[in-house]
Amino acid sequence: MRLVPATVLAICLGMSSSAQATSPAEKMLELDRPLVIAHRGYPTVAPENSIVGFRLANLAGADLVELDYHVDRDGEGIVIHDKTLDRTTDVTAAWGETDAKVVEKSRAEMQTLDAGTWYDPMFAGVRLPTLEEAIDAIQEGGMTLVERKAGSAEHIVALLKERDLVNEVIVQSFDWEYVTAVHEMLPEQVLGAIGPSRVWNGKKLSKKERELSREWIDEAAKTGARVLVWNAQVTPETISYAHDKGFKLYIYTINELEPAKRLLEAGVDGVITNNTAILWKAMASVHGAD
Ligand code: G3P
Ligand code: CA
């Protein structure tokens, strides 16, 4: 019997050859152990969301290196966690401004600021990276977990396409409308839905309401995300339900050995940490060092 080549079969079934291929992001989802995910780079040893921190996280062997981005006044991506420049730059000393908003400045202006001295004077001169610079630095030795804090779905979809980054990275957000919109424009892209929101449908949620639940998981499933990203308010039952619904479950932000071990033993698929080294120790303890 003559076997039909897989590509011919895929065409007959209406699948494109790219849909058939397994991308780096999909392979990352299928790794046979939980992921070590470096939160904002490596803030235990270097300024958060800095190129030096991203490189150190790669050197420490993180499977994914997370960054946060906002957009500037021209809609260009800039890598910073807060919507203001105050906490992680010298904006007040340099410009005499407080509550200086990222969205009101240009990237060029913001890149004149010192984003390292606040953390430690040895990092004086570190600059805020553009989104493109940060992704390039991480992709040189690892894979980026891009967290959108502000910016449109159109913006990230265009950037991923222009730079051939579709499924070379994973994209996540607390804003599930954004996740849904990216999924609609780019269904193949692996996406993460982060929770819990502090507010849902205009209502401020209690701590109890923010625990991972079947309702949250069902709601997240509507976004098209394949990864659910939650805090440590999870139970064996909700971990199992998330898996039943086809999600990978990553937990943030775990910086101590014992909580990390407990979560790995409970069966989560990734742990997001400020301390990549301690996560590897937890991994070795639970999954062995081979
Ligand atoms: O990856 C999830 C985590 O980064 C969300 O919290 O505030 O550190 O961005 P935050
Ligand atoms: Ca983040």
Side-chain angles (χ1 to χ4, degrees):
M1 187 180 123
R2 189 162 170 270
L3 292 177
V4 180
T7 44
V8 174
L9 191 60
I11 291 163
C12 293
L13 292 172
M15 295 156 57
S16 73
S17 55
S18 64
Q20 189 194 21
T22 304
S23 66
E26 286 165 321
K27 282 185 186 156
M28 188 61 80
L29 294 190
E30 298 310 324
L31 212 63
D32 60 358
R33 59 160 173 78
L35 303 183
V36 172
I37 306 171
H39 181 241
R40 308 184 197 173
Y42 207 154
T44 307
V45 299
E48 67 182 53
N49 282 313
S50 65
I51 297 288
V52 59
F54 298 140
R55 292 208 169 113
L56 288 169
N58 272 343
L59 288 170
D63 297 302
L64 289 169
V65 178
E66 192 236 18
L67 63 77
D68 303 289
Y69 79 90
H70 284 260
V71 285
D72 71 357
R73 69 177 179 214
D74 304 309
E76 301 289 341
I78 186 95
V79 172
I80 185 168
H81 178 273
D82 301 355
K83 64 182 175 195
T84 59
L85 294 158
D86 304 35
R87 183 176 64 86
T88 58
T89 77
D90 66 341
V91 66
T92 304
W95 297 349
E97 287 189 42
T98 53
D99 201 32
K101 294 184 176 51
V102 172
V103 73
E104 293 175 358
K105 310 292 181 192
S106 72
R107 288 208 302 198
E109 276 177 316
M110 288 188 275
Q111 287 200 299
T112 66
L113 295 171
D114 182 325
T117 301
W118 70 275
Y119 180 89
D120 187 309
M122 74 174 277
F123 293 104
V126 163
R127 304 289 168 206
L128 295 177
T130 67
L131 179 55
E132 294 85 345
E133 286 168 347
I135 293 176
D136 286 350
I138 296 169
Q139 296 298 114
E140 267 173 30
M143 185 180 291
T144 316
L145 177 58
V146 177
E147 185 186 342
R148 173 271 196 180
K149 293 294 190 192
S152 68
E154 289 78 6
H155 165 256
I156 197 71
V157 168
L159 185 145
L160 295 176
K161 285 183 176 172
E162 278 163 19
R163 300 177 74 87
D164 288 330
L165 286 168
V166 176
N167 273 350
E168 298 289 322
V169 303
I170 297 176
V171 178
Q172 63 170 8
S173 184
F174 276 100
D175 180 346
W176 292 7
E177 287 179 15
Y178 165 93
V179 175
T180 305
V182 175
H183 178 67
E184 282 168 3
M185 282 182 256
L186 205 53
E188 66 269 42
Q189 174 61 50
V190 174
L191 299 169
I194 317 176
S197 302
R198 293 192 173 275
V199 176
W200 187 255
N201 288 336
K203 179 178 172 265
K204 191 167 184 302
L205 301 180
S206 66
K207 191 170 182 213
K208 180 79 187 156
E209 288 169 318
R210 298 171 70 221
E211 289 173 6
L212 186 60
S213 63
R214 286 176 174 245
E215 291 73 25
W216 279 121
I217 295 164
D218 290 342
E219 202 61 44
K222 296 176 191 169
T223 66
R226 292 163 67 180
V227 182
L228 192 54
V229 184
W230 216 261
N231 62 19
Q233 289 182 268
V234 296
T235 63
E237 194 265 330
T238 51
I239 294 170
S240 169
Y241 189 70
H243 289 157
D244 289 347
K245 288 286 167 180
F247 281 112
K248 298 293 178 185
L249 180 62
Y250 302 164
I251 304 297
Y252 68 92
T253 304
I254 309 299
N255 302 322
E256 305 294 333
L257 182 63
E258 291 306 323
K261 281 165 62 177
R262 279 197 293 277
L263 285 160
L264 293 173
E265 279 160 2
V268 304
D269 306 291
V271 178
I272 301 173
T273 184
N274 290 343
N275 192 341
T276 300
I278 210 81
L279 232 296
W280 281 122
K281 187 172 179 185
M283 187 79 75
S285 165
V286 175
H287 289 273
D290 295 339

